[in-house]
Amino acid sequence: MDWYRKSASQTLEELDTSAKDGLSSAEVKARLDKYGPNALAAAEKESRFVKFLQQFTQFIILVLIGAAVIAGLLGEWVDSIAIMAIVVMNGIIGFTQEEKAERVLEALKRMAAPRATVIRDGEHHSIDAADLVPGDIAILDAGDNIPADCRVIDSKLMRVEEAALTGESHPVDKDTQAIEGTLPLGDRINTVYSGTTVVYGRGTAVVTATGMTTEMGKIAKMLQEVKTEPTPLQKKLDEFGKYLVYAAGAVCGLIFLLGLLRGDDLLELFLTAVSLAVAAIPEGLPAVVTIVLALGVQRMVKRHALIRKLPSVETLGAATIIASDKTGTLTQNQMTVKKMYLSSGKVVDVSGSGYEPTGGFFVESSELDPAGDAPLGLALKAGLLCNSANLKKADDGWQVIGDPTEGALITLAMKGGLDRKTLEEELKLTGEIPFDAERKMMTTVYEKDGRSTVFVKGAPEKILPLCTEIFDSGSTRPMEEADRGKISGTNEEFARTALRVLALAYRESPQTDGALDVHKPQTVENNLVFVGLVGMIDPPREEVFVSVEKAKAAGITPIMITGDHKLTAIAIAREIDAFGDDDMALTGTELDAMSEEEFERLLPRIKVYARVNPEHKLQVVRAWRNRGETIAMTGDGVNDAPALKEADIGVAMGITGTDVTKEAADMVLTDDNFSSIVSAVEEGRGIFDNIRKVIHFLLSCNIGEIITLLVASLTGMPLPLLPVQILWMNLVTDGLPALGLAMEPVDPGVMDKKPRKKDEGIITPSLLRVMTIQGTFMAVCTLVVYALELYWFDGGLERARTLAFMVLVYCQMFHVFNCRSERESVFAMGFFSNRLLNLSVAVIMFSQILLVYVPVLQPIFKVVALRPSDWLIIFVAAVQPLIWMEAIKMMQRDKKPGV
């Protein structure tokens, strides 16, 4: 239906809804049953069977299958069946891991679902956008994504970015008037569409289409398939895997050549070469990494940090700077007006706290009656009517829907006995100029009896120059320089005590809204009458004190970027120990006056940026990045999106943040709390450490297997490990403990370390050396037992191979505990503190016992039953890596710094 041709009243009538009260709860339920959820139909997913088959498409797995086929054709059915069984088992493990990761990620997607503000049953509600139905009345503010196709019924300078749908490069001004004729989407200026964005102003609209019936839904029908790209971390691992392939190929070729020169069996050499290639490449690693990331992200959600992009987890661990907003992030976001300065010269103390509308007004302990004090009454009225928030009583107390600062002004007015609904029955809202980061003020225009009254609130330094008069003793008089000096002095005095200060002003005009251009600030916001100042406090969150201390101990510098007054910002920063005697604070104006060279020189000292614009945030981010630092930047407004995208980690506010900001961000704080950023960094470091631990374990074990076979070949010994045994170790016995290692709890001391460098790889040269030493040590233990049994005790080749197989597997099982920490003793950490790891090790150890004692398994894995004395030898040899690494760790811990 062409709703743009109909008037706003016709649209409301046909959709059977009310602009004032919206739909009833019962009607919403009925329409939701009729129209379904407001969501695009998901593309048809691949079946689980197809996903399972995809586990066998990797190159190395295809090589294994080919080797099994060749072995079968040559009559080696036991080897053929064993290889296929291990390949299938590996496929099952990989499939199970991917399914688990997908379930976790789907749950996270549901948590990140967009929200919408609607009017239902006469009240404002914040709901999941998926629950919208035709006829809902949607409230749209700057920064919001349009949740459905809607007909605009009220517009306060609302502009919508529609480039994603129409290709129009400039935001479109939205109107409410009906339009004649047949028009393309881009010309329907009274209609807004799902997937577009409000970039300025605010408005109200009635939902006309949801889900697949929206214009975006029609396009979605043609774009159902979405290709999932690998994460940068997975790409790094793939790139590293290529180097492993080259190295493995060289080693395999060498062993194959040496075997040919000795006259070894050609088939066995071929299978051994293939097995070695598998041993060198931990092909299960990407799946384990995905599990580590997904489960780590799930843990972050419990700590109020929702990661939108998995690669951000890797970056979090390297964060060196956290640039945070003040209000609601470092503070409680429970704004309470504590002091007022009235145009009559009185300083008024306001009692009460939070959004509970109870309290009083006092001047030097004497209570002031708003009804009998004209300046106070006018100040309360101005703050209430120059306002777009709503205060709502819920079961757990009073809640603000909208900006907390505006909520504090509503609470203040209610303490004085004012009610907005009552006032708006007398006054008609005819215009509104929304708050703008550049102007730092908001204006509303009301009409009554042919007269227009303008109410303005905003930053004192912006409002005061626009005031030509002052309200004093029930009438207005010209403002004098002495008045300006006293107001400015009071503003600074309030700000110095950590109060956020707003100025209130008004203007009366005999003109009605038809003659007064409410869309042009320059024609409305001038010749104002000063009413007063309100000083509100938003105390620091209690947990922020500990979080700032933890961040600084971790080598992370917290800096504050706020639109608030400079003195207020410094006071809060000092209180939370984020500002020292040698530190500096800059305003946006001071920053603009600086040269680029001077700014870069002073950058490390600047810990507070006050009265800044979004452009300044972008400047700060680029400056720190140019120094090679990794910066996390918070933001909530639509204009913060560029800075969040530029930052290494963009952090959006989940409560006060706009949809645009959330989409630009890598991480969303579900509680708008600075402490959650620090917790996320802690989790990010833990996740990166766990990934490194998994790689450490898998590659050191693989190095041990390769060295064992290489040394045996170079010395002319029969191969101590057979192909099926190598496959079993690499695809089964390594996989389960690696998964257990991935679940390692975050190291309590992870925040005592300095951040890793941004360009530091997963595998550092020092870690590679450690892995090589550990792999060599496991190979030595294996070869010593193998050689003694083969040449000294003359136990025969089959028994010697069985012992070598068992020693190497059990070496790896003890070695996995070495990988839990590079410095800490496993006994200090608690040998049994990681239950999943212990269970994995126990399962593998028991499986090895079954291999040598279950008759049907012995010929498959080419093993023989062992004597009790053999197990003693196996244990003594296998525990050596753990004992010696514990000794090395002890020496490292005892070593004095600088020695």
Side-chain angles (χ1 to χ4, degrees):
M1 186 177 291
D2 294 330
W3 296 103
Y4 66 91
R5 296 182 183 178
K6 300 180 183 296
S7 66
S9 58
Q10 285 177 316
T11 304
L12 292 168
E13 185 179 348
E14 292 194 28
L15 288 169
D16 194 18
T17 187
S18 162
K20 181 181 179 182
D21 297 325
L23 298 172
S24 66
S25 300
E27 184 61 25
V28 167
K29 185 178 183 307
R31 296 193 185 190
L32 196 57
D33 291 339
K34 178 180 178 181
Y35 296 106
N38 176 37
L40 301 182
E44 187 176 345
K45 293 185 178 180
E46 291 175 334
S47 68
R48 300 180 75 189
F49 179 68
V50 171
K51 288 182 182 178
F52 178 68
L53 291 181
Q54 287 175 347
Q55 302 298 316
F56 307 99
T57 58
Q58 298 176 35
F59 174 74
I60 198 67
I61 298 298
L62 294 174
V63 171
L64 284 177
I65 294 172
V69 171
I70 293 173
L73 293 174
L74 295 175
E76 298 292 336
W77 290 107
V78 173
D79 282 343
S80 178
I81 294 171
I83 293 171
M84 287 304 300
I86 292 171
V87 167
V88 171
M89 187 179 299
N90 182 65
I92 292 172
I93 293 173
F95 171 74
T96 303
Q97 289 176 341
E98 287 186 12
E99 282 283 292
K100 187 173 185 179
E102 190 171 309
R103 285 197 296 272
V104 171
L105 293 175
E106 285 297 326
L108 293 176
K109 284 181 183 178
R110 288 194 293 273
M111 290 190 67
R115 307 280 296 176
T117 301
V118 298
I119 300 175
R120 287 178 177 176
D121 296 313
E123 295 187 351
H124 288 66
H125 299 271
S126 178
I127 64 169
D128 287 335
D131 294 333
L132 281 173
V133 295
D136 260 325
I137 305 299
I139 307 299
L140 305 173
D141 281 303
D144 287 351
N145 276 350
I146 308 295
D149 286 3
C150 308
R151 171 64 165 83
V152 179
I153 57 176
D154 182 46
S155 175
K156 302 289 191 304
L157 301 184
M158 186 167 66
R159 297 175 195 157
V160 178
E161 175 63 67
E162 298 181 336
L165 189 65
T166 66
E168 174 61 52
S169 58
H170 299 288
V172 179
D173 291 309
K174 292 297 176 178
D175 199 351
T176 62
Q177 300 302 313
I179 308 172
E180 296 293 334
T182 302
L183 299 174
L185 297 181
D187 293 334
R188 301 175 187 178
I189 60 172
N190 59 10
T191 307
V192 292
Y193 300 100
S194 174
T196 59
T197 306
V198 181
V199 294
Y200 186 81
R202 55 192 293 265
T204 307
V206 57
V207 176
T208 55
T210 59
M212 295 301 287
T213 62
T214 62
E215 296 298 330
M216 197 62 76
K218 295 171 185 175
I219 296 173
K221 291 176 183 177
M222 300 181 285
L223 301 170
Q224 289 292 349
E225 295 299 323
V226 178
K227 184 180 179 182
T228 303
E229 293 292 329
T231 67
L233 183 58
Q234 289 173 325
K235 290 177 181 177
K236 282 184 182 178
L237 293 173
D238 288 342
E239 186 177 344
F240 180 72
K242 290 178 182 178
Y243 294 116
L244 285 177
V245 169
Y246 300 146
V251 174
C252 292
L254 179 60
I255 291 177
F256 190 82
L257 183 60
L258 291 173
L260 281 178
L261 293 174
R262 286 197 307 268
D264 290 345
D265 180 70
L266 189 61
L267 174 63
E268 186 171 300
L269 279 174
F270 171 72
L271 293 176
T272 301
V274 172
S275 303
L276 264 176
V278 175
I281 306 165
E283 60 281 326
L285 185 59
V288 175
V289 168
T290 302
I291 286 288
V292 176
L293 289 173
L295 294 182
V297 166
Q298 196 175 36
R299 284 202 307 271
M300 285 187 181
V301 169
K302 295 177 182 177
R303 301 181 75 169
H304 309 290
L306 175 60
I307 300 294
R308 297 187 65 251
K309 303 167 186 176
L310 281 183
S312 307
V313 175
E314 180 190 3
T315 313
L316 270 170
T320 56
I321 306 292
I322 299 178
S324 171
D325 191 9
K326 176 180 71 68
T327 305
T329 310
L330 293 167
T331 58
Q332 297 178 15
N333 207 21
Q334 281 276 336
M335 302 297 294
T336 305
V337 176
K338 302 302 289 184
K339 282 184 176 292
M340 299 179 68
Y341 173 78
L342 301 179
S343 54
S344 57
K346 295 176 182 175
V347 175
V348 180
D349 292 309
V350 184
S351 63
S353 62
Y355 299 121
E356 182 76 29
T358 55
F361 305 87
F362 301 87
V363 176
E364 297 179 351
S365 73
S366 298
E367 188 164 4
L368 198 64
D369 181 11
D373 189 286
L376 176 59
L378 180 58
L380 299 183
K381 183 178 180 181
L384 181 62
L385 293 179
C386 187
N387 206 304
S388 60
N390 285 277
L391 197 63
K392 179 180 177 182
K393 188 170 186 179
D395 294 336
D396 56 347
W398 290 82
Q399 295 180 349
V400 174
I401 299 177
D403 184 75
T405 300
E406 295 191 333
L409 293 176
I410 297 175
T411 304
L412 179 72
M414 291 176 70
K415 289 177 181 179
L418 298 184
D419 177 68
R420 185 157 64 179
K421 284 188 175 180
T422 303
L423 288 175
E424 289 182 342
E425 287 176 0
E426 303 174 6
L427 300 168
K428 177 186 176 185
L429 180 65
T430 57
E432 177 181 320
I433 303 175
F435 177 84
D436 181 83
E438 295 288 339
R439 294 169 39 263
K440 290 186 172 61
M441 65 178 73
M442 174 186 176
T443 299
T444 55
V445 183
Y446 287 85
E447 183 208 337
K448 181 183 179 182
D449 299 332
R451 296 179 64 86
S452 288
T453 303
V454 176
F455 293 102
V456 185
K457 74 170 188 294
E461 67 270 22
K462 295 289 184 179
I463 299 289
L464 201 54
L466 302 176
C467 294
T468 56
E469 294 183 291
I470 188 169
F471 185 82
D472 188 9
S473 302
S475 62
T476 63
R477 63 173 175 80
M479 180 176 280
E480 300 174 357
E481 285 304 313
D483 297 318
R484 295 184 188 277
K486 191 170 184 180
I487 294 168
S488 297
T490 305
N491 174 37
E492 290 197 8
E493 184 181 339
F494 281 6
R496 198 173 289 113
T497 57
L499 292 177
R500 182 181 185 186
V501 187
L502 289 178
L504 301 172
Y506 84 106
R507 166 189 167 188
E508 287 191 338
S509 170
Q511 299 172 315
T512 62
D513 65 311
L516 190 67
D517 192 344
V518 298
H519 299 296
K520 293 183 178 180
Q522 60 269 29
T523 66
V524 178
E525 296 169 345
N526 56 57
N527 297 321
L528 301 178
V529 179
F530 179 80
V531 174
L533 302 176
V534 289
M536 56 187 73
I537 191 167
D538 184 13
R541 295 175 181 263
E542 292 182 8
E543 63 273 20
V544 161
F545 296 92
V546 176
S547 297
V548 169
E549 183 181 350
K550 184 185 286 188
K552 290 167 69 176
I556 301 169
T557 302
I559 61 176
M560 181 192 294
I561 303 182
T562 178
D564 217 337
H565 194 283
K566 183 178 178 178
L567 293 175
T568 305
I570 291 174
I572 293 292
R574 282 192 187 278
E575 188 174 352
I576 63 175
D577 197 25
F579 193 89
D581 294 336
D582 294 330
D583 293 328
M584 292 180 61
L586 286 184
T587 64
T589 304
E590 292 168 338
L591 183 55
D592 288 334
M594 271 188 180
S595 67
E596 189 174 337
E597 292 76 15
E598 185 182 8
F599 177 52
E600 289 181 359
R601 180 174 58 83
L602 295 174
L603 184 65
R605 290 182 56 198
I606 305 170
K607 300 299 169 57
V608 169
Y609 297 85
R611 285 291 193 257
V612 293
N613 295 328
E615 294 78 12
H616 295 130
K617 285 191 174 185
L618 194 59
Q619 186 178 351
V620 172
V621 169
R622 287 174 175 166
W624 279 112
R625 293 195 72 191
N626 289 339
R627 295 176 70 94
E629 304 290 345
T630 302
I631 181 169
M633 166 67 76
T634 70
D636 54 7
V638 62
N639 290 330
D640 291 331
L644 264 60
K645 278 201 168 185
E646 181 78 17
D648 296 286
I649 308 149
V651 183
M653 302 295 105
I655 299 173
T656 60
T658 61
D659 292 339
V660 172
T661 315
K662 292 173 188 175
E663 287 194 359
D666 304 294
M667 182 169 81
V668 178
L669 300 182
T670 58
D671 62 350
D672 290 11
N673 192 337
F674 174 85
S675 297
S676 298
I677 306 175
V678 179
S679 297
V681 171
E682 184 177 8
E683 286 288 350
R685 287 188 177 189
I687 289 169
F688 187 83
D689 283 353
N690 282 358
I691 292 173
R692 183 171 275 175
K693 289 171 187 176
V694 169
I695 294 174
H696 178 181
F697 171 67
L698 291 176
L699 292 189
S700 56
C701 289
N702 291 359
I703 289 170
E705 295 164 18
I706 290 174
I707 292 177
T708 299
L709 292 169
L710 183 60
V711 171
S713 296
L714 292 173
T715 56
M717 288 191 290
L719 291 178
L721 299 169
L722 294 174
V724 70
Q725 296 168 351
I726 298 172
L727 293 174
W728 173 261
M729 281 191 291
N730 198 60
L731 298 179
V732 179
T733 62
D734 287 355
L736 282 177
L739 192 58
L741 199 60
M743 300 299 106
E744 189 72 19
V746 176
D747 182 356
V750 74
M751 292 297 279
D752 295 332
K753 306 172 187 175
K754 298 301 179 185
R756 63 181 175 83
K757 294 179 180 178
K758 185 186 296 189
D759 57 353
E760 181 179 302
I762 298 174
I763 298 176
T764 60
S766 61
L767 180 59
L768 186 58
R769 286 195 298 271
V770 169
M771 291 190 299
T772 303
I773 292 170
Q774 292 171 338
T776 302
F777 200 81
M778 287 187 281
V780 169
C781 293
T782 303
L783 287 168
V784 167
V785 172
Y786 175 65
L788 287 174
E789 184 65 27
L790 185 63
Y791 299 115
W792 186 267
F793 297 113
D794 197 23
L797 181 58
E798 200 168 19
R799 177 171 294 278
R801 279 177 171 164
T802 303
L803 282 170
F805 180 36
M806 293 297 153
V807 168
L808 190 49
V809 170
Y810 277 66
C811 269
Q812 294 174 356
M813 294 306 101
F814 283 108
H815 172 59
V816 73
F817 294 99
N818 289 328
C819 300
R820 291 185 63 189
S821 174
E822 293 181 23
R823 290 183 63 88
E824 292 300 318
S825 167
V826 69
F827 300 101
M829 296 171 66
F831 201 88
F832 300 103
S833 57
N834 187 332
R835 295 180 182 177
L836 183 58
L837 178 61
N838 295 332
L839 179 62
S840 301
V841 170
V843 168
I844 296 303
M845 287 185 164
F846 182 70
S847 299
Q848 292 299 116
I849 296 173
L850 292 180
L851 294 186
V852 297
Y853 290 121
V854 176
V856 71
L857 297 177
Q858 289 174 344
I860 296 175
F861 289 93
K862 309 293 195 304
V863 293
V864 296
L866 298 175
R867 300 182 294 259
S869 58
D870 294 330
W871 285 107
L872 179 61
I873 294 170
I874 291 168
F875 178 80
V876 170
V879 79
Q880 294 304 310
L882 179 61
I883 292 173
W884 285 103
M885 280 306 301
E886 282 292 314
I888 292 171
K889 288 179 182 179
M890 184 183 297
M891 288 188 287
Q892 287 179 333
R893 290 193 299 273
D894 293 341
K895 187 177 180 181
K896 294 181 180 179
V899 176

